Each structure stands twice: as structure tokens, then as C-alpha cells.
Amino acid sequence: MASATAPAAAVPTLASPLGQLRHLAEELRLLLPRVRVGEAQETTEEFNREMFWRRLNEAAVTVSREATTLTTVFSQLPLPSAQETQKFCEQVHAAIKAFIAVYYLLPKDQGITLRKLVRGATLDIVDGMAQLMEVLSITPTQSPENNELISYNSVWVACQQMPHIPRDNKAAALLMLTKNVDFVKDAHEEMERIAVEECDPYSGLLNDTEENNSDNHNDEDDVLGFPSNQDLYWSEDDQELIIPCLALVRASKACLKKIRILVAENGKKDQVAQLDDIVDISDEISPSVDDLALSIYPPMCHLTVRINSAKLVSVLKKALEITKASHVTPQPEDSWIPLLINAIDHCMNRIKELTQSELEL
């Protein structure tokens, strides 16, 4: 006869507190790909912008509070028990998932540019919390290095940025256009800095070396990292080619500035698709400028400069065409657009002239 006493159910063993933190970090990182590709939640309800932003800010405050609580209990001894840690981890996980759920409530018809910004902020918060879990799981918890990492953890910074995210697609578009203007401005300044240097940018250093140690400077050149061949300097042809390249980048900066002004003055919040198209093509200008800027460093390949210039010109003209056809340009015949196109064509024609010999080789 079987015993009436049933065997006791096995009680699951909880991982150590630090092990649970590491596991939570892994779980949070698994959420990142889903956020990157996740679509907006389908709903028949009319989107309430004010309610959405209030809920998103509240969710960010909750995440920040949970991060602070967990940091406090794991930055001192004794560490919480396995059962207490489980509760803390569940609260953190719930706070993160709640934040992601609010993000999914932002529909596409509010603008792709706006959604990208909110998605980026969401990814920063999730990734920042995962980093925090990894830092807290490192022992000893009282080490100065660990505390310094915790103090500057990005999860709090990401949460604090939520109230500053643009609230509509026009504001989001202006933010992205401003960033692109700054990127191209930096690239242009860097190119100008390079262009004003002497053909041998190390000549002063080499002369100092010769004066201080004229007997053995040739042996030390390689050790000190000084250039020892003309391939690292510009030829006269290189310097001549840089001039229209700089002019083309200046035209790129002017193009972005003009587009930003048009969006600021004439952009309509409800024309989200056109604003998204303008931002999408404008986002291609800065990387194209960077490619051109990198190609002028010595040793310069004129064919590469020509190719990268042509790519930039193509992007600029497309950006101008999209902007001209959109609602932000109430007068498409505005003279600045054809003038800018003429300037771009002039730069490209000059670059073609100076690089024609490369095609004939």
C-alpha cells in the first residue's frame, strides 16, 4: 500500500543576490532588440498627447526611483538576502517594462522623427539600467572605483532627459536639423584647420629636432613617429583640390541652415510625413561630408575625393528638391535654391577638372 504521505515539493533555490543582479542585467539587454524593432501598439482610441507625455515622465521617475533604491541597498553591507533581492529585481524589471509599454503607445502618425527620439531615450534607459545592474554585481561593493561608476551611471541621466524631449514632430525635426548643422560645421572647421597648415605639418617639429640633435635625428624619426616620406604631405595639386572641396562643404552647411530656417518658419506640426522626409535626407548630408573630409587627408587619392564629392552633391540636390516640393517652401521659385544649386554645381565641376587626369590613367 502506497504511503499516504506525498513527497514534499522541491523548493526552488534562489540565486545569490549578486547572481540575481547579473541575471537581471541579461534580461534587460534582451529587451533592447525588441525595442529597436518594436511597432507602435494598435489602438482605436484617439491619441492623447498630454496624457502620453505625463505617463512617460511618470514612468521615467519610477525607473529612476527603483535605480536609486537598488543602488542604496547594494552599496553597503550587509547585502540584502536572496528573497529581498528577488523583490528588488522584480520591481526594477516591472518599472522598465512599464516604461517600454508607454513608449509603444506613441503612434507612427505622430511622426517617425519623434518616435526615433523617444525610442532612443527608451534604449538609453534600458541600457543604463542594465549597466547599473552589472556595476552593482561587482564586488567589493564599497570600492571607490565601483562607487564612481555608480555615481555617473547613465540611467539617471537618461531619466532626467525625458522632460526635455520634443513634444511634436516639428520640434523633433528642428532638433535633428540643428544637430546636423553642428556636425557639418565641425567637419568644415576641421577641414579648414587642415587646409591652413603648411604642406609639411611636422616641419616645425622636425626643425626643432634637427637643431637639438643634428647628428642622429634621422635615426630617431621613426621612433618619435615623425613622418619620413612625402606621402604624408600634400602636393601642390592636392592643395588646389582642397579649395573646391571646402567650398562644397560650406555649401552643405548653408543648405542645412536654410532648410532648418524654412522648417522653423513654415513647418506645420500636422505635416509629419513631409517633415520626416526632410529630416531623413538631411541626415545623409553629415555622413557624406565626413566621407569627403576623410578623403582629403594625405596621402590623398583624387579619384576617392571625386567619388565622395559626387555622392555629397547628389544628397544635397535631393535634399533641396524634397524641401522645395514640401509645404515648408511656400514659394518654390525662391531664388536661394537655384543659387545654391549653381554653387554646388560650380564646386563639383571644378573638382572634376582637377581630377580628370585620374580617370585617364
Side-chain angles (χ1 to χ4, degrees):
M1 183 175 177
S3 172
T5 305
V11 178
T13 303
L14 290 174
S16 67
L18 299 182
Q20 290 186 53
L21 293 184
R22 286 188 288 269
H23 179 68
L24 178 57
E26 294 172 359
E27 287 190 330
L28 294 179
R29 294 204 181 280
L30 290 176
L31 296 175
L32 293 172
R34 304 176 194 175
V35 174
R36 291 190 182 98
V37 301
E39 298 291 341
Q41 179 180 319
E42 297 292 339
T43 179
T44 57
E45 297 180 8
E46 184 178 354
F47 179 71
N48 186 320
R49 180 181 288 108
E50 183 178 345
M51 181 180 295
F52 169 79
W53 289 108
R54 184 174 67 249
R55 291 180 62 182
L56 196 68
N57 287 331
E58 290 173 353
V61 170
T62 300
V63 170
S64 179
R65 182 174 63 246
E66 294 298 338
T68 300
T69 300
L70 203 64
T71 300
T72 302
V73 297
F74 274 89
S75 296
Q76 57 191 4
L77 297 175
L79 296 177
S81 67
Q83 289 76 16
E84 291 171 329
T85 301
Q86 182 183 37
K87 181 180 178 181
F88 287 131
C89 289
E90 288 174 349
Q91 291 173 339
V92 168
H93 195 265
I96 289 292
K97 295 200 74 174
F99 187 91
I100 294 174
V102 177
Y103 156 65
Y104 283 144
L105 295 176
L106 181 63
K108 286 184 178 180
D109 62 15
Q110 293 299 303
I112 300 301
T113 304
L114 180 61
R115 275 199 104 238
K116 285 181 179 178
L117 287 178
V118 180
R119 180 177 64 205
T122 303
L123 290 169
D124 288 343
I125 286 178
V126 177
D127 185 62
M129 186 65 86
Q131 289 182 36
L132 179 61
M133 297 304 102
E134 292 167 348
V135 169
L136 291 174
S137 67
I138 299 172
T139 55
T141 58
Q142 299 273 329
S143 68
E145 296 82 3
N146 206 32
N147 288 332
E148 184 176 0
L149 284 171
I150 294 171
S151 299
Y152 293 96
N153 190 267
S154 59
V155 64
W156 287 289
V157 175
C159 289
Q160 291 169 358
Q161 290 300 314
M162 291 310 303
H164 306 293
I165 293 180
R167 294 304 195 250
D168 58 68
N169 208 48
K170 178 182 177 179
L174 284 172
L175 176 62
M176 296 308 299
L177 289 170
T178 299
K179 287 183 177 181
N180 286 329
V181 169
D182 292 340
F183 289 152
V184 172
K185 180 182 176 183
D186 290 343
H188 180 250
E189 290 176 352
E190 175 65 12
M191 290 178 70
E192 282 193 323
R193 184 190 65 78
I194 298 170
V196 298
E197 289 180 350
E198 297 178 22
C199 191
D200 175 3
Y202 296 95
S203 59
L205 292 173
L206 286 172
N207 289 338
D208 290 343
T209 304
E210 290 171 359
E211 292 174 3
N212 295 333
N213 196 355
S214 58
D215 294 335
N216 60 0
H217 72 92
N218 290 328
D219 296 334
E220 293 184 355
D221 280 352
D222 292 337
V223 176
L224 294 175
F226 296 139
S228 57
N229 63 77
Q230 290 299 314
D231 286 342
L232 295 181
Y233 314 144
W234 281 320
S235 67
E236 291 183 2
D237 290 342
D238 293 341
Q239 295 181 70
E240 191 174 7
L241 181 57
I242 288 171
I243 296 173
C245 290
L246 271 172
L248 185 56
V249 174
R250 278 197 297 271
S252 303
K253 183 172 63 173
C255 177
L256 279 170
K257 283 186 174 181
K258 286 287 189 180
I259 292 174
R260 182 183 61 181
I261 290 172
L262 286 177
V263 171
E265 294 181 348
N266 305 320
K268 298 178 181 178
K269 296 179 181 180
D270 60 343
Q271 296 288 338
V272 293
Q274 290 188 6
L275 292 173
D276 286 336
D277 289 341
I278 291 172
V279 171
D280 284 344
I281 187 61
S282 298
D283 282 345
E284 296 182 27
I285 295 177
S286 177
S288 299
V289 167
D290 288 342
D291 288 341
L292 177 58
L294 289 173
S295 63
I296 72 168
Y297 280 89
M300 186 189 295
C301 173
H302 287 199
L303 185 57
T304 301
V305 172
R306 179 177 178 138
I307 292 172
N308 288 337
S309 298
K311 289 179 180 178
L312 176 56
V313 167
S314 176
V315 171
L316 290 174
K317 287 187 174 181
K318 188 175 180 181
L320 290 172
E321 289 172 3
I322 291 175
T323 303
K324 182 179 179 180
S326 74
H327 72 283
V328 304
T329 310
Q331 297 177 329
E333 67 278 5
D334 196 331
S335 61
W336 75 266
I337 293 180
L339 284 175
L340 195 49
I341 291 177
N342 288 337
I344 292 169
D345 285 338
H346 177 76
C347 295
M348 190 64 227
N349 289 335
R350 183 57 179 156
I351 291 171
K352 287 179 178 179
E353 291 175 6
L354 295 173
T355 57
Q356 187 60 34
S357 60
E358 293 287 330
L359 298 178
E360 298 172 353
L361 293 177

